[in-house]
Amino acid sequence: MEPAGYEEAAADQMWIVAMKEELKMIEKNQTWELVDRPKHKKAIVVKWVYRTKLNPDGSINKYKAGLVIKGYAQMFGVDFSETFAPVARLDTIRMLLALAAQKGWVIHQMN
């Protein structure tokens, strides 16, 4: 159900829409900005990841495309700490907030 790579996804209109939606959200959230690469630096490559989200009955809910960084290309001490893209499920955050409230822990929000 899911394409193996970009070439396969680009042949299907549903995946094209999913990729455009991901790019629109990246732009809306101001996740990154395009800059000129310094000549002495190597760019870290990105790739598309595709998932088909299903309803409980097994029917297709939506096509989800994610643009992810190939973090394994980073080198410790050179560019290892320069990029960070946390992803957390909302139910996990809710559970942690409930646990913190129950235990009386102090919570700090950081960007």
Side-chain angles (χ1 to χ4, degrees):
M1 293 178 80
E2 295 158 353
Y6 174 79
E7 292 78 18
E8 193 177 327
D12 186 335
Q13 186 61 34
M14 296 305 295
W15 289 112
I16 292 172
V17 170
M19 289 186 285
K20 285 181 180 179
E21 184 66 28
E22 172 72 359
L23 290 173
K24 186 170 35 169
M25 290 306 295
I26 287 171
E27 188 175 294
K28 177 185 172 198
N29 294 330
Q30 299 176 350
T31 304
W32 53 268
E33 67 180 69
L34 188 60
V35 298
D36 292 329
R37 179 182 55 88
K39 293 188 186 321
H40 64 285
K41 295 286 186 176
K42 183 177 154 187
I44 298 174
V45 184
V46 296
K47 72 174 187 171
W48 285 101
V49 176
Y50 306 97
R51 295 287 179 257
T52 305
K53 302 293 183 174
L54 302 176
N55 292 316
D57 65 0
S59 61
I60 295 174
N61 182 336
K62 72 184 235 180
Y63 295 92
K64 176 77 174 136
L67 188 60
V68 299
I69 191 166
K70 291 185 176 182
Y72 57 81
Q74 295 174 284
M75 293 177 9
F76 188 77
V78 177
D79 57 4
F80 191 74
S81 62
E82 292 180 11
T83 57
F84 182 64
V87 178
R89 292 178 51 140
L90 196 53
D91 53 341
T92 303
I93 293 171
R94 283 191 198 113
M95 188 268 313
L96 289 172
L97 288 173
L99 182 63
Q102 186 180 46
K103 301 281 187 181
W105 295 342
V106 177
I107 298 172
H108 298 278
Q109 187 255 327
M110 298 161 44
N111 287 335

